[in-house]
Amino acid sequence: MAILKIARMGHPVLRRPAQPVETPIPAVVRQFALDMIETMVDAPGIGLAAPQVHVGWRIVVFRVPGDRATGGAGDLPMEPQVLVNPAYEPLSEEMVEGWEGCLSIPGLRGVVPRFARIRYRGLSLDGTAVEREASGTHARVVQHEIDHLDGILYIDRMPDLTRLTFTEEMRYFGADPTVRGPSGRV
């Protein structure tokens, strides 16, 4: 396996829509997804999309760490997952604000509204159909990563850029994004 180089904001690959992966899923794609997981864990992050590592395929990997899961329905801890050709739909119009960061925008955090509950679909690496309902961190990370497949960064979803800040400043001034507030965080 290999640690892949992460594209940072400003690189054009992050703004291009990713292309669907052919089925059956080729061995090269399966190996690439395993490299993505290794890269995500090494970074460390909780999600990574193929465009973030300079590849224009519709693949995301994510996990839900125990300390970030709410424990509610659809938001339990999850080991690393792979979704090929994923899509999601909101299960209600309810939006929840939460802090997000991104491996492609290092050192910054922002408050982003996301759908509170979603249903997502995709394929596992062996080509099996995956369909789940998600809420909390689970829903937030899936929405964030699928946005990357459409060339969207979390800052594009922020209605108030005064809530974009350097992580170091948040910690210095006591607004630590790792502390769960009433609206959660990523």
Side-chain angles (χ1 to χ4, degrees):
M1 291 204 286
I3 302 295
L4 306 169
K5 183 176 180 182
I6 297 173
R8 293 189 309 171
M9 183 172 60
H11 194 291
V13 72
L14 295 173
R15 293 303 189 168
R16 286 186 216 125
Q19 298 302 306
V21 173
E22 64 185 70
T23 56
I25 297 169
V28 67
V29 172
R30 292 192 304 270
Q31 181 57 55
F32 172 69
L34 297 176
D35 291 343
M36 286 178 63
I37 290 172
E38 186 174 7
T39 302
M40 172 187 68
V41 171
D42 180 71
I46 67 166
L48 188 68
Q52 290 182 273
V53 288
H54 306 272
V55 176
W57 290 337
R58 292 191 73 82
I59 302 171
V60 301
V61 299
F62 68 93
R63 60 188 173 152
V64 182
D67 66 333
R68 309 250 318 247
T70 63
D75 194 28
L76 299 173
M78 295 180 83
E79 293 298 316
Q81 305 288 307
V82 177
L83 285 175
V84 177
N85 299 332
Y88 76 89
E89 61 185 290
L91 293 176
S92 76
E93 294 299 313
E94 180 187 359
M95 304 290 281
V96 177
E97 288 187 335
W99 286 103
E100 291 188 24
C102 181
L103 297 175
S104 293
I105 310 174
L108 291 174
R109 299 262 184 216
V111 175
V112 182
R114 297 280 185 190
F115 290 106
R117 294 181 53 243
I118 64 168
R119 176 180 296 116
Y120 64 87
R121 296 173 182 82
L123 300 174
S124 67
L125 284 182
D126 66 7
T128 303
V130 173
E131 182 174 335
R132 294 187 188 108
E133 291 186 9
S135 64
T137 299
H138 186 179
R140 183 170 292 278
V141 70
V142 169
Q143 290 173 80
H144 178 112
E145 298 311 327
I146 291 175
D147 270 357
H148 276 298
L149 302 181
D150 297 323
I152 299 168
L153 300 175
Y154 79 83
I155 59 171
D156 302 330
R157 299 251 185 230
M158 291 181 64
D160 181 359
L161 290 178
T162 66
R163 298 178 80 187
L164 177 67
T165 188
F166 285 99
T167 305
E168 288 178 12
E169 295 299 323
M170 294 176 78
R171 290 190 176 126
Y172 180 77
F173 290 108
D176 188 339
T178 64
V179 174
R180 186 180 307 277
S183 60
R185 52 105 179 122
V186 164

